[in-house]
């Protein structure tokens, strides 16, 4: 996507990057020093990667693929790791936070946040974009970012009421496979697209691997308390059979 950005266009892009950063920092100031620095770094890094991907000079299919990897995969992953929804729920007053929760749990957003729907919007739309004449449209950046964020957030479960881990794991595997099949299809169909198709294949796998590691770590953390609740001897520390909690069992 080779766009000759005008001064107004550059100003618009700069505002689109600076405003979310400022709003995020204001929300952090409301929460206090307890907000982890790694979340702030991920949010700032995601916006930086997004800016590079949008303003990346070049043209041709390889340039499109590199832009997709940055805007549609790396930036959404970093932005989702910034935990913007969790930050908003902690920074907003109670009444507004409850309103936000109700909005996130509304049918349209729950549908978009379903991992299968998010994967279809993310990977499925790439098939349409790169098999039709519309891959060079400027709005493709917007689609890649939003669809990539929805998919990443759905897999990591960063929004209220995430889907089950097994379902998310199945969707992640299917989406990764669909991404790889698309790369192979483009490699075989267009003789001049080999470098871009290889970049799409291996670059997409690299980002998906990072996402899979983060997903598995989150899954393991939910299992650890259950595993540590029963000692290695297989007996309960406060006696067996189970009984209501009492002060002696704390």
């Amino acid at each position: 996507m080779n766009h000759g950005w005008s001064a107004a266009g550059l100003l618009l892009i700069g505002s689109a990057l600076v405003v979310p950063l400022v709003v995020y920092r204001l929300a952090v100031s409301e929460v206090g020093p307890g907000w982890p620095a790694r979340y702030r770094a991920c949010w700032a890094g995601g916006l930086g990667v997004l800016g590079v991907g949008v303003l990346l000079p070049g043209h041709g299919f390889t340039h499109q693929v590199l832009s997709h990897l940055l805007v549609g995969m790396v930036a959404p992953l970093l932005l989702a790791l910034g935990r913007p929804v969790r930050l908003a729920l902690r920074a907003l007053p109670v009444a507004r936070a409850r309103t936000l929760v109700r909005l996130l749990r509304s049918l349209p957003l729950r549908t978009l946040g379903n991992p299968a729907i998010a994967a279809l919007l993310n990977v499925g739309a790439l098939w349409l974009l790169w098999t039709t004449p519309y891959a060079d449209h400027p709005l493709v950046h917007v689609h890649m970012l939003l669809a990539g964020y929805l998919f990443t957030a759905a897999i990591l479960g960063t929004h209220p009421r995430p889907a089950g881990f097994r379902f998310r794991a199945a969707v992640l595997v299917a989406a990764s496979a669909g991404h790889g099949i698309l790369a192979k299809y483009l490699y075989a169909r267009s003789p001049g697209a080999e470098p871009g198709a290889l970049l799409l294949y291996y670059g997409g796998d690299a980002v998906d691997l990072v996402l899979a590691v983060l997903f598995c770590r989150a899954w393991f953390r939910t299992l650890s308390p259950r595993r540590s609740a029963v000692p290695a001897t297989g007996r309960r520390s406060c006696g067996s059979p189970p009984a209501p909690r009492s002060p002696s069992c704390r």
Side-chain angles (χ1 to χ4, degrees):
M1 302 174 191
N2 186 22
H3 306 299
W5 297 106
S6 63
L10 292 174
L11 180 61
L12 179 62
I13 294 172
S15 300
L17 296 174
V18 172
V19 170
L21 181 62
V22 172
V23 172
Y24 190 93
R25 291 190 176 275
L26 291 175
V28 170
S29 65
E30 288 291 328
V31 172
W35 190 250
R38 65 181 183 276
Y39 293 169
R40 287 176 280 172
C42 286
W43 184 258
L47 292 174
V49 170
L50 175 60
V52 172
V54 171
L55 300 174
L56 187 70
H59 60 87
F61 179 64
T62 301
H63 174 263
Q64 293 176 9
V65 171
L66 183 57
S67 180
H68 157 66
L69 292 176
L70 294 175
V71 176
M73 298 189 75
V74 179
L77 176 59
L78 291 172
L79 293 174
L81 291 175
R83 300 295 194 271
V85 174
R86 183 186 302 180
L87 176 61
L89 292 175
R90 291 183 59 180
L92 290 172
V94 175
R96 293 185 180 179
R98 288 175 178 172
T99 301
L100 177 59
V101 170
R102 286 195 295 269
L103 179 63
L104 293 172
R105 292 177 177 175
S106 63
L107 181 59
L109 290 187
R110 280 193 292 111
T111 301
L112 291 175
N114 183 288
I117 300 298
L120 182 62
L121 292 173
N122 187 31
V123 180
L126 289 178
W127 281 82
L128 296 177
L129 291 174
W130 279 331
T131 56
T132 62
Y134 302 105
D136 201 41
H137 196 280
L139 290 179
V140 170
H141 284 307
V142 178
H143 165 79
M144 288 192 299
L145 175 64
L146 295 179
Y149 178 83
L150 282 174
F151 173 72
T152 305
I155 295 299
L156 293 179
T158 58
H159 289 177
R161 290 188 179 180
F165 280 100
R166 288 182 176 84
F167 179 58
R168 283 186 274 160
V171 171
L172 176 58
V173 171
S176 180
H179 202 270
I181 293 172
L182 173 61
K184 293 179 180 179
Y185 171 77
L186 294 173
Y187 184 94
R189 191 189 72 164
S190 304
E194 289 92 343
L198 290 174
L199 178 61
L200 179 64
Y201 185 82
Y202 291 108
D205 277 355
V207 180
D208 284 340
L209 178 60
V210 175
L211 180 59
V213 170
L214 295 172
F215 169 78
C216 291
R217 186 181 67 172
W219 193 352
F220 179 77
R221 285 179 175 177
T222 65
L223 299 176
S224 297
R226 300 178 189 176
R227 296 176 61 183
S228 61
V230 180
T233 58
R235 299 176 181 175
R236 296 179 179 269
S237 59
C238 291
S240 180
R245 172 178 279 188
S246 64
S248 61
C249 295
R250 293 178 182 172

